[in-house]
């Protein structure tokens, strides 16, 4: 019987560079690693190897929105809730649920007893 181990089939690290070496950022040439937390270089203002930035924005002209001819009606008021009646209905529903569950439980117990006596005798 073969037992599965969490490390089963996992490759081990090879001698040489550390395991995270393939994921490191390239060096910048001055000995520092690019993107390191200690490096704070401003982004290039635009050019061949940098993001030039977003395009300039222009404000829309005044009155650019279409005219509004119909105003939405204000929302209606909901009728007040009778909390006492809601609680009474919830209690009645809970009693019905418990009653149906009890009847189902009694029927299941009777069936299990019937099947067990049938299997023993």
């Amino acid at each position: 019987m073969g037992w599965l181990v969490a490390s089963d089939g996992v490759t081990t690290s090879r001698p040489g560079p550390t395991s995270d070496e393939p994921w490191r950022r390239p060096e910048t040439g001055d000995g520092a690693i690019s993107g390191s937390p200690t490096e704070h270089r401003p982004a290039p203002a635009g050019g061949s190897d940098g993001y030039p930035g977003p395009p300039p924005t222009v404000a829309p002209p005044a009155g650019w929105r279409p005219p509004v001819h119909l105003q939405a009606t204000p929302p209606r008021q909901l009728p007040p809730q009778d909390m006492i009646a809601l609680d009474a209905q919830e209690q009645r529903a809970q009693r019905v649920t418990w009653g149906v569950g009890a009847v189902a439980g009694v029927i299941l117990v009777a069936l299990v007893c019937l099947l067990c006596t049938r299997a023993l005798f």
Side-chain angles (χ1 to χ4, degrees):
M1 176 177 200
W3 292 93
L4 293 176
V5 180
S7 64
D8 201 20
V10 176
T11 58
T12 58
S13 61
R14 299 181 196 144
T18 60
S19 62
D20 63 340
E21 187 67 31
W23 308 110
R24 288 191 184 210
R25 295 176 185 251
E27 292 189 13
T28 58
D30 58 356
I33 298 174
S34 68
S36 65
T38 58
E39 180 183 351
H40 297 290
R41 281 189 293 166
S48 62
D49 52 323
Y51 175 63
T57 59
V58 178
W64 66 273
R65 295 180 187 268
V68 178
H69 295 290
L70 297 175
Q71 292 291 338
T73 58
R76 297 175 293 167
Q77 289 286 5
L78 293 175
Q81 295 181 352
D82 186 6
M83 298 307 281
I84 296 170
L86 286 174
D87 288 339
Q89 287 176 353
E90 185 179 353
Q91 288 174 356
R92 279 195 303 269
Q94 187 177 16
R95 276 191 231 117
V96 169
T97 303
W98 281 96
V100 170
V103 169
V106 168
I107 291 172
L108 287 175
V109 168
L111 283 175
V112 168
C113 290
L114 181 67
L115 290 174
C116 288
T117 57
R118 193 102 181 174
L120 291 176
F121 300 112

